[in-house]
Amino acid sequence: IAAGDTRRLGFMEKQIGVLYKGMKDYPTAIQYLRRARIAEDDLGQLNRVSCHMGEIMLALGMPDSALYYAQRSNVFINPVDDPYGYARSQLVLGTAYAALGQQDQSDAFLRRCIAICDSFDVVLPMTQALTAQATALIEQGRAQDAITTGKRSLVVA
């Protein structure tokens, strides 16, 4: 605020929001993330703010809102521009569709996340996507496939 630099302010608002998200203080996290969204114009930061908002909405049991924010996170056309951000948006889209019971859509986005992570050596979204896939496989009664996917996630982690 003292520097008068909205980019720094937006980044700090996002970081503070992420800390509150980690503490599961979702109302405060949402407050900071919304302020970050207003202050930011960098696509990478807008992507990350929207991903965090989508994850919060999932945690609050609001899958429609999670999908809304997941769609807003999908700002990169080419994964080369920001492999981590691209993969994260695919992950949040996949988990939002899973929460809505749209497993085919979910699987497509999770597979894309994993492919991008494989191509660009991005770790964190990959383990989350593999875990989400394993959960879906368990729900489908495909225990052996879930175990294989879980083992891959463990190796990546």
Side-chain angles (χ1 to χ4, degrees), residues 11-142:
F11 179 79
M12 289 306 302
E13 300 271 24
K14 182 202 67 143
Q15 292 301 103
I16 293 167
V18 170
L19 290 172
Y20 278 105
K21 174 186 162 207
M23 295 186 297
K24 300 187 183 338
D25 182 349
Y26 299 129
T28 307
I30 290 169
Q31 175 187 3
Y32 277 99
L33 291 170
R34 282 186 177 152
R35 290 186 353 208
R37 181 121 181 108
I38 292 167
E40 271 297 342
D41 60 358
D42 176 73
L43 286 181
Q45 292 304 314
L46 292 172
N47 159 273
R48 283 147 178 81
V49 167
S50 296
C51 285
H52 287 294
M53 287 291 288
E55 291 168 339
I56 288 170
M57 294 302 140
L58 282 174
L60 293 172
M62 302 168 63
D64 289 324
S65 295
L67 181 59
Y68 169 78
Y69 284 107
Q71 289 169 334
R72 290 184 76 178
S73 77
N74 199 14
V75 296
F76 298 109
I77 296 168
N78 189 344
V80 160
D81 295 335
D82 185 343
Y84 175 82
Y86 188 95
R88 281 267 292 142
S89 69
Q90 302 308 296
L91 171 65
V92 177
L93 281 160
T95 55
Y97 278 116
L100 289 166
Q102 297 180 25
Q103 206 52 51
D104 289 343
Q105 283 283 73
S106 173
D107 191 53
F109 283 105
L110 294 175
R111 285 181 189 274
R112 190 174 303 135
C113 173
I114 292 165
I116 295 304
C117 290
D118 268 340
S119 297
F120 294 94
D121 198 28
V122 178
V123 177
L124 185 59
M126 179 184 266
T127 58
Q128 294 169 318
L130 287 166
T131 301
Q133 275 190 330
T135 301
L137 291 166
I138 290 169
E139 290 171 2
Q140 295 168 12
R142 297 172 51 195

